[in-house]
Amino acid sequence: MFSRQPNDYLCPFCDWLSGNETEYKQNSDIVFQNDKVTAFISPKWWANNPGHVIVIPNRHVENLYDITDEELSEVYRIVKRVAIAIRSSYENCSGTSTRQHNEPSGNQDVWHFHTHVFPRYEDDKLYQNHDTKNFVEPRERKVYADLLKAYFRKPAGDK
Amino acid sequence: MFSRQPNDYLCPFCDWLSGNETEYKQNSDIVFQNDKVTAFISPKWWANNPGHVIVIPNRHVENLYDITDEELSEVYRIVKRVAIAIRSSYENCSGTSTRQHNEPSGNQDVWHFHTHVFPRYEDDKLYQNHDTKNFVEPRERKVYADLLKAYFRKPAGDK
């Protein structure tokens, strides 16, 4: 519905999940994965919010209009757990927020449904700094991935 | 978890759902409601995105950390339907986006979980315009509520 992806679109998320790592998508970025969804450190960071996470359904689906209720439910079940993990693991993090974009006017630029989960800090001005973002190297992402993986490995009683 | 609501908090969403309308919360703002969730036109609008919708669980829960998986699933099931309704009903709307905030650092300012669903327009600069917002009158909200209610009333085949 209201599709914007080109007919010959090579989806970077699907290409990665099928086994092809790139500088922008490394398996070391993955902080949680099951048979329905994958959560990973975004390769693109906003200025004051390093290490934010993207959660996607493993099946290719373009946007919110087309995702099944079951996939959407599983994406947000994991978004919630990722938000708690970020809030519990990132130094000085004092809040979280999530966002999801559909179509170019809605800020979508990868045609596979994805939800962003952000660590938030006092007066970080995430929205006002929208144009201040850049791609980061795998070694920078790994610092945050390791924090979240360590959190998810903890026994339930220690979280 | 990570609670920020005052001990004596009088929740404006719960107060409204229990029967008390105010200038900011009118029953005519409601575009969808069932026993678990309510969707309504926000009383606060961003400059280029009038008539955005807020979806809440009817039960009081402060944030993403504490909402149950079942409530979260139902909120996003309706967020999806609202996004499609907005995209189908608002003139010149060419995208949608959603966002959800936790704690003051995460831009939360009402201590009852809520997800925003925005109509998006070409080059609307929703994020860059974050400080350009204002409260609007019930009659202004009703124009958009009526569009969405008309959409939801349509037979499935006409949507």
Side-chain angles (χ1 to χ4, degrees):
Chain A
M1 187 183 279
F2 308 122
S3 175
R4 301 305 184 112
Q5 82 181 5
N7 286 333
D8 57 352
Y9 187 54
L10 176 63
C11 175
F13 293 167
C14 291
D15 187 50
W16 176 38
L17 293 184
S18 75
N20 297 321
E21 287 184 288
T22 67
E23 186 185 339
Y24 302 108
K25 303 277 184 305
Q26 297 272 311
N27 292 346
S28 57
D29 297 330
I30 295 175
V31 299
F32 177 91
Q33 188 167 46
N34 65 20
D35 62 332
K36 297 207 178 61
V37 304
T38 299
F40 57 95
I41 305 291
S42 172
K44 188 165 69 176
W45 292 3
W46 272 265
N48 299 325
N49 305 81
H52 89 271
V53 170
I54 291 175
V55 184
I56 62 171
N58 295 337
R59 183 180 75 92
H60 184 78
V61 58
E62 182 176 338
N63 56 32
L64 179 61
Y65 316 133
D66 285 337
I67 195 169
T68 68
D69 291 346
E70 291 71 24
E71 288 167 329
L72 190 61
S73 176
E74 184 63 6
V75 164
Y76 278 93
R77 193 177 75 85
I78 301 310
V79 161
K80 168 181 157 180
R81 283 155 179 76
V82 166
I84 293 170
I86 286 174
R87 179 63 172 77
S88 302
S89 310
Y90 287 18
E91 195 174 351
N92 295 323
C93 176
S94 54
T96 58
S97 65
T98 76
R99 65 189 191 198
Q100 191 277 322
H101 301 137
N102 306 292
E103 304 183 73
S105 293
N107 292 116
Q108 187 174 12
D109 55 8
V110 174
W111 312 113
H112 183 130
F113 178 100
H114 56 286
T115 298
H116 299 263
V117 189
F118 288 95
R120 300 297 303 275
Y121 302 89
E122 195 177 338
D123 201 31
D124 63 19
K125 297 196 180 304
L126 173 63
Y127 297 134
Q128 292 90 335
N129 285 328
H130 188 68
D131 296 323
T132 311
K133 55 204 171 196
N134 64 293
F135 283 96
V136 295
E137 294 187 6
R139 63 179 172 76
E140 296 179 84
R141 307 197 295 265
K142 190 170 179 302
V143 175
Y144 293 91
D146 286 348
L147 287 174
L148 297 181
K149 283 188 267 195
Y151 180 85
F152 284 125
R153 273 194 306 266
K154 283 185 185 174
D158 295 346
K159 283 179 180 169
Chain B
M1 188 181 279
F2 308 121
S3 176
R4 303 303 186 113
Q5 81 180 6
N7 286 333
D8 58 351
Y9 187 53
L10 175 63
C11 175
F13 293 167
C14 291
D15 187 51
W16 176 37
L17 294 184
S18 75
N20 297 321
E21 288 184 286
T22 66
E23 185 184 339
Y24 301 109
K25 303 278 184 306
Q26 297 272 310
N27 293 344
S28 58
D29 298 329
I30 296 175
V31 299
F32 178 90
Q33 188 167 45
N34 65 20
D35 62 332
K36 296 208 178 59
V37 304
T38 300
F40 57 95
I41 304 292
S42 172
K44 188 164 69 177
W45 291 4
W46 272 264
N48 299 325
N49 304 82
H52 89 269
V53 171
I54 290 175
V55 184
I56 63 172
N58 295 338
R59 183 180 76 93
H60 184 77
V61 59
E62 182 176 337
N63 56 33
L64 179 61
Y65 316 134
D66 286 337
I67 194 169
T68 68
D69 291 347
E70 293 69 26
E71 287 167 330
L72 190 61
S73 175
E74 184 63 7
V75 164
Y76 279 93
R77 194 178 74 85
I78 300 310
V79 161
K80 168 181 158 179
R81 282 155 181 75
V82 166
I84 292 170
I86 286 173
R87 179 63 172 80
S88 302
S89 308
Y90 287 18
E91 194 173 352
N92 295 324
C93 176
S94 54
T96 58
S97 65
T98 76
R99 66 190 190 196
Q100 191 276 322
H101 301 136
N102 306 292
E103 303 183 75
S105 293
N107 291 117
Q108 187 175 13
D109 57 5
V110 174
W111 314 112
H112 183 131
F113 178 101
H114 56 285
T115 299
H116 300 263
V117 188
F118 288 95
R120 300 296 304 272
Y121 302 89
E122 195 177 338
D123 201 30
D124 62 20
K125 298 196 181 302
L126 173 63
Y127 297 134
Q128 293 90 335
N129 285 328
H130 188 68
D131 297 321
T132 311
K133 55 204 170 196
N134 64 295
F135 284 96
V136 296
E137 295 187 5
R139 64 179 170 75
E140 296 178 84
R141 306 197 297 264
K142 190 171 181 302
V143 175
Y144 292 92
D146 286 349
L147 286 173
L148 296 181
K149 283 187 266 195
Y151 180 85
F152 285 125
R153 273 196 305 267
K154 283 185 186 176
D158 293 347
K159 284 179 181 169

